[in-house]
Amino acid sequence: MSNAIEVSGLTKSYGSHVVLKEISFQIAAGEIFALLGANGAGKTTALECIEGLKKYDSGTVTVNGTAGIQLQSSSLPAHIKPMEAVRLFAGWNKVKTDNALIHSLGLREIEKKQYAQLSTGQKRRLHLALALIGDPDIIFLDEPTAGLDVEGRLSLHDNIRKLKSSGKTVVLASHDMAEVETLCDRIAILSGGKIVFCGTPSELTCKIGKKYFIHIKTELGSDTLEADNIENTLLSLLGEMKRNGIKVLDIKVDRGTLEQHFMEMTGRAEK
């Protein structure tokens, strides 16, 4: 599979503060790829450098295809209506308005409202529609579901999956682990200005280890233990309870989530 984006040795500083330290990764055509990191990790800066919106100090960025961009913080004139914005952007791009796109994102339902009257979710859908005008090969989404309610998030996730199924490459920046685990083919984790991991969510799990959380309730109260080897830990724990005459009332085992693995990965990188 060919690469839609290739980043090599990308470095970016603001004065004496180095935000990106020679980061390198590739994004395959047709995949959903996420840049992960805590707030301030450099996700938005990395995207803006790749998009050509921000100059970088050194390194190379190659983008193979046309791009549509949904910025983290976007705004339009308060009194403009959604379809007016769509026609304006279509005119700038010298393309016709895509009615199928308009309907799929539900813009006809809000076409009489002014921008200032739209909810956060409606604004997100409108900005996604504007990013998709011109049928770009690559779509950049910076924190696409920030501020959305559950229904809005699910709707946007569905739209992102449809983009992938139509052959588009989707690149998103997020700190939402559940979102990434649900949507993405591969992820890159930014921490301390460096890429500390790049691969699939399952590869991240394997790299960190298959952590388990044992929730146990006894006559003395409740406790939660962390374990890498579930069988040995359970046998030892239950044996100790039996020897001490402690009655076990309930026991539950959970598999570690991507968020827990992410926190451990970034914690290691910062030490």
Side-chain angles (χ1 to χ4, degrees), residues 234-253:
L234 274 176
L235 288 173
S236 175
L237 178 63
L238 294 175
E240 181 181 354
M241 296 292 177
K242 185 175 181 179
R243 286 192 300 273
N244 293 322
I246 300 173
K247 185 177 181 181
V248 176
L249 303 177
D250 189 27
I251 192 165
K252 180 181 178 183
V253 178

Side-chain angles (χ1 to χ4, degrees), residues 25-270:
F25 58 90
Q26 295 79 42
I27 301 174
E31 74 173 338
I32 301 177
F33 184 92
L35 275 175
L36 283 179
N39 288 330
K43 304 184 299 297
T44 295
T45 296
L47 279 193
E48 289 177 343
C49 289
I50 296 168
E51 294 160 352
L53 298 177
K54 187 163 288 184
K55 292 183 178 180
Y56 44 91
D57 303 332
S58 61
T60 60
V61 174
T62 303
V63 178
N64 299 310
T66 56
I69 302 169
Q70 182 191 45
L71 299 175
Q72 182 180 23
S73 179
S74 303
S75 187
L76 292 169
H79 301 298
I80 196 170
K81 295 179 179 179
M83 291 309 301
E84 291 174 339
V86 169
R87 287 191 289 270
L88 180 62
F89 274 62
W92 284 341
N93 287 275
K94 298 180 180 179
V95 297
K96 293 182 178 180
T97 302
D98 186 343
N99 288 320
L101 173 65
I102 300 306
H103 284 291
S104 69
L105 290 174
L107 297 189
R108 290 294 183 192
E109 303 165 9
I110 58 173
E111 63 179 333
K112 294 182 179 180
K113 290 186 176 182
Q114 295 179 341
Y115 183 77
Q117 298 172 317
L118 301 180
S119 67
T120 300
Q122 290 168 339
K123 288 178 180 177
R124 291 281 181 182
R125 283 186 292 165
L126 172 57
H127 287 294
L128 178 58
L130 299 180
L132 295 176
I133 286 175
D135 194 26
D137 305 304
I138 306 166
I139 299 94
F140 292 95
L141 306 173
D142 195 350
E143 300 286 358
T145 58
L148 296 187
D149 58 17
V150 174
E151 184 178 355
R153 289 165 61 86
L154 293 176
S155 176
L156 190 53
H157 286 178
D158 186 50
N159 285 313
I160 291 173
R161 292 189 186 94
K162 288 178 181 177
L163 290 172
K164 173 183 168 64
S165 66
S166 67
K168 306 297 184 184
T169 303
V170 181
V171 185
L172 60 92
S174 178
H175 63 269
D176 187 326
M177 302 305 110
E179 178 171 86
V180 167
E181 196 167 15
T182 299
L183 286 175
C184 296
D185 300 303
R186 290 193 307 129
I187 59 178
I189 297 177
L190 268 172
S191 182
K194 298 179 179 180
I195 298 289
V196 296
F197 172 82
C198 188
T200 66
S202 60
E203 286 171 343
L204 175 59
T205 300
C206 291
K207 185 177 179 68
I208 296 296
K210 297 181 179 179
K211 290 193 173 296
Y212 297 88
F213 295 86
I214 303 170
H215 309 281
I216 186 165
K217 182 178 181 181
T218 71
E219 57 189 352
L220 301 179
S222 300
D223 197 8
T224 296
L225 304 174
E226 184 177 327
D228 291 318
N229 186 309
I230 187 65
E231 182 179 1
N232 290 343
T233 303
L234 274 176
L235 288 173
S236 175
L237 178 63
L238 294 175
E240 181 181 354
M241 296 292 177
K242 185 175 181 179
R243 286 192 300 273
N244 293 322
I246 300 173
K247 185 177 181 181
V248 176
L249 303 177
D250 189 27
I251 192 165
K252 180 181 178 183
V253 178
D254 287 334
R255 178 75 176 275
T257 65
L258 181 60
E259 182 168 9
Q260 289 154 347
H261 298 316
F262 166 76
M263 294 303 293
E264 181 164 341
M265 174 71 74
T266 53
R268 286 181 183 178
E270 291 169 0

